[in-house]
Amino acid sequence: MITKENIDLFLYTVKEYKRFSDYFSLKDNYELTDSYTEKEYIAIQTKLILLRKYGSNNEAVNVRDIAKFVKDNRSDLEHEMTKIISDFDRVQTNQIRTILSDGTELNLYKTIENVMYGLYLHADKDKIENIKHINEHLLFLVSRQYVQEFEKIIMQLYNYLIEKGFQVEEVQDIQRASMVFLGNDESNQQGITKSPYWANLYGNDVGDEQILEIVKETNIEELSILAISSCFFEEIVKDDFSETSLRKLVSPVTYSDWGDFSEAHTHINAIPNLGMSSKVRFNDRHDIAYVNFYENVEGSFMIDKPHIIGEGIHVLSLVYDSDAQKWEIYSFGAKLNDYLI
């Protein structure tokens, strides 16, 4: 049974499909007998694989089912959905005939099934045997014709829905940060409880004594960088922050970027519960330092295994001034790349 959820799935997956389509940047129209490059071959066959779910009867995003549901529930789209259904049926029953070398005749859809399930999604023996009985060039021309016609139908349906107020549902109300753990979960545990947003990390809560031990193991240079970072953030969040004090901490070459620090003050204060990492990272030349700041930190925690984290982290980048022989703050946000210095 088709529901509003199916429309959400359709819009969400087509949005991803558009990334591929935009990247390949193919012509809008090809004549059936047009020649093609290797790049076009790869692009068309990739699209063919991605489009399969929109034509399969047992998929949640079958174009015909989606269009019929919208037609039955939105009178203002009845005409458009009727055309989508008609175009879909026309493509699926297209009478372009592929005649194999053994005399077997296949319509367009059956030919596509041979390509899809023989070469790509599966290794169906019978379908591969069919493929062997047709010239590769002719087989691709048929695939391209199908992709060209079917893609237009999908994009028309997508655009109709977007224009009429249907929206691609994005992830809402994130309770915990998502991440990739690169360790062995059998010998590690997710023991972070005081900062629920970071509970997916493999780590543990820490108290004052453990923090003191971490400080003792940190070298003088890193402690200096952490002190500069801490002073900057303690000052920038104040309602009556001192521009003079902040300028003493940042690199002179960035004065114009920081301005009077009011924009940075507003931006940083809008980030909930920033917590500073005790780990300092350096570039290969050791003239750029990075200090991570984590959102939604309600209690201290420690992780000792590598993770890849895609959200909730902001990077304070510092550069070393060899003339003044001191570390200075350069930027806050994304990681500073070596080539900028």
Side-chain angles (χ1 to χ4, degrees):
M1 179 181 177
I2 299 296
T3 66
K4 172 62 167 59
E5 184 179 76
N6 296 86
I7 296 178
D8 294 338
L9 293 173
F10 175 79
L11 294 175
Y12 196 80
T13 56
V14 173
K15 180 184 177 183
E16 178 68 11
Y17 174 81
K18 280 166 57 66
R19 296 177 66 178
F20 286 82
S21 184
D22 293 343
Y23 174 78
F24 289 134
S25 300
L26 300 178
K27 289 166 48 178
D28 290 334
N29 291 289
Y30 290 92
E31 296 298 328
L32 183 58
T33 56
D34 281 351
S35 60
Y36 57 90
T37 64
E38 184 69 8
K39 176 184 175 181
E40 289 172 321
Y41 180 91
I42 298 299
I44 290 295
Q45 302 296 56
T46 300
K47 285 186 172 188
L48 181 65
I49 298 169
L50 297 175
L51 291 173
R52 169 193 169 272
K53 56 184 169 290
Y54 302 109
S56 180
N57 290 330
N58 59 353
E59 288 283 355
V61 290
N62 176 273
V63 168
R64 195 182 201 285
D65 293 341
I66 297 289
K68 187 176 186 307
F69 174 81
V70 175
K71 177 183 177 181
D72 293 342
N73 290 274
R74 289 285 297 265
S75 58
D76 58 327
L77 280 169
E78 182 176 359
H79 173 73
E80 290 86 348
M81 294 304 104
T82 298
K83 185 178 186 304
I84 290 290
I85 293 171
S86 175
D87 289 344
F88 175 85
D89 290 342
R90 174 182 53 77
V91 171
Q92 300 302 86
T93 59
N94 190 301
Q95 290 306 303
I96 291 179
R97 313 294 288 183
T98 301
I99 304 174
L100 309 184
S101 61
D102 63 359
T104 303
E105 291 191 17
L106 302 173
N107 66 11
L108 177 61
Y109 186 73
K110 288 296 182 181
T111 303
I112 295 304
E113 278 196 330
N114 280 305
V115 176
M116 189 74 67
Y117 297 107
L119 284 177
Y120 300 124
L121 299 181
H122 306 296
D124 186 288
K125 179 182 176 181
D126 294 336
K127 290 179 171 54
I128 289 178
E129 285 301 316
N130 285 337
I131 291 172
K132 290 179 179 179
H133 284 86
I134 183 172
N135 177 275
E136 180 187 279
H137 171 72
L138 297 178
L139 191 63
F140 174 74
L141 297 183
V142 173
S143 294
R144 186 176 62 187
Q145 184 70 17
Y146 177 82
V147 167
Q148 177 175 274
E149 295 186 14
F150 195 31
E151 182 182 58
K152 288 178 181 178
I153 297 170
I154 291 168
M155 297 315 304
Q156 284 176 350
L157 177 57
Y158 178 87
N159 291 333
Y160 283 145
L161 295 176
I162 294 298
E163 289 170 4
K164 289 298 183 178
F166 291 91
Q167 297 181 343
V168 179
E169 294 291 336
E170 302 294 350
V171 177
Q172 301 291 333
D173 191 24
I174 298 174
Q175 300 297 320
R176 297 183 181 186
S178 59
M179 62 202 62
V180 175
F181 175 56
L182 303 178
N184 179 1
D185 59 4
E186 294 182 0
S187 60
N188 296 273
Q189 63 176 344
Q190 293 170 304
I192 297 173
T193 61
K194 294 180 181 179
S195 290
Y197 182 79
W198 297 105
N200 286 337
L201 288 168
Y202 282 81
N204 297 282
D205 297 327
V206 295
D208 293 340
E209 292 184 4
Q210 290 167 295
I211 293 174
L212 182 59
E213 288 300 316
I214 294 173
V215 172
K216 289 180 180 179
E217 295 174 1
T218 306
N219 65 47
I220 295 299
E221 181 182 39
E222 292 176 357
L223 287 175
S224 173
I225 291 171
L226 292 173
I228 294 170
S229 302
S230 179
C231 287
F232 177 82
F233 274 86
E234 288 178 6
E235 186 64 34
I236 195 70
V237 297
K238 294 178 182 177
D239 289 336
D240 59 345
F241 66 85
S242 168
E243 182 178 342
T244 300
S245 297
L246 291 171
R247 283 194 180 277
K248 292 179 180 178
L249 299 173
V250 304
S251 171
V253 300
T254 66
Y255 282 168
S256 60
D257 295 327
W258 290 104
D260 63 1
F261 294 95
S262 58
E263 186 176 337
H265 167 80
T266 301
H267 172 67
I268 291 171
N269 275 315
I271 303 172
N273 298 327
L274 269 179
M276 186 177 75
S277 171
S278 61
K279 183 175 180 61
V280 180
R281 296 169 175 81
F282 297 93
N283 68 335
D284 293 339
R285 296 198 306 271
H286 206 87
D287 55 5
I288 305 177
Y290 309 104
V291 179
N292 287 343
F293 281 77
Y294 293 73
E295 296 181 5
N296 300 308
V297 175
E298 299 173 39
S300 300
F301 58 84
M302 179 175 65
I303 56 176
D304 57 7
K305 298 295 181 182
H307 296 70
I308 300 175
I309 304 171
E311 58 207 358
I313 294 182
H314 307 264
V315 182
L316 185 71
S317 297
L318 300 90
V319 294
Y320 187 71
D321 185 334
S322 57
D323 293 329
Q325 295 190 339
K326 66 176 182 177
W327 286 95
E328 299 168 335
I329 292 170
Y330 190 94
S331 65
F332 177 72
K335 183 178 178 181
L336 182 65
N337 292 316
D338 288 354
Y339 64 80
L340 293 178
I341 297 300

